Amino acid sequence: MDFEQLETFLQVARYSSFSRAAEKRFRTQPAISSQIRPSRKKSEPSCSNRSGGKVSITASGKLFQKYAEEIS
């Protein structure tokens, strides 16, 4: 994950919304979704859950969020 993806993840986590993060990042919602879509093995834990337009950050996502905030 590069710096741009970290910043995008942080925006999604802050606003609990891909659409709101897209507005703040001056991108489209599909671009935001594809940017933070993990390219990982299925056995790794997910950082977020998406339901009805809202995003909730999982426990592992909150740990990652803390790490991302520290390094950004």
Side-chain angles (χ1 to χ4, degrees):
M1 188 174 265
D2 63 23
F3 183 73
E4 184 76 18
Q5 290 169 313
L6 286 176
E7 286 296 316
T8 298
F9 172 78
L10 288 173
Q11 290 290 326
V12 170
R14 284 183 192 123
Y15 296 109
S16 298
S17 169
F18 283 82
S19 297
R20 185 76 173 133
E23 288 176 17
K24 294 293 183 180
R25 305 282 298 153
F26 302 104
R27 291 182 172 68
T28 65
Q29 182 273 323
I32 295 295
S33 296
S34 66
Q35 189 175 25
I36 68 166
R37 182 177 302 131
S39 57
R40 61 174 194 232
K41 297 176 187 171
K42 292 185 182 222
S43 63
E44 293 181 22
S46 176
C47 288
S48 64
N49 292 318
R50 192 172 181 181
S51 174
K54 283 289 191 181
V55 178
S56 61
I57 305 300
T58 63
S60 60
K62 288 181 185 199
L63 288 173
F64 182 71
Q65 181 180 6
K66 185 176 180 179
Y67 168 77
E69 288 171 343
E70 288 175 5
I71 65 170
S72 67

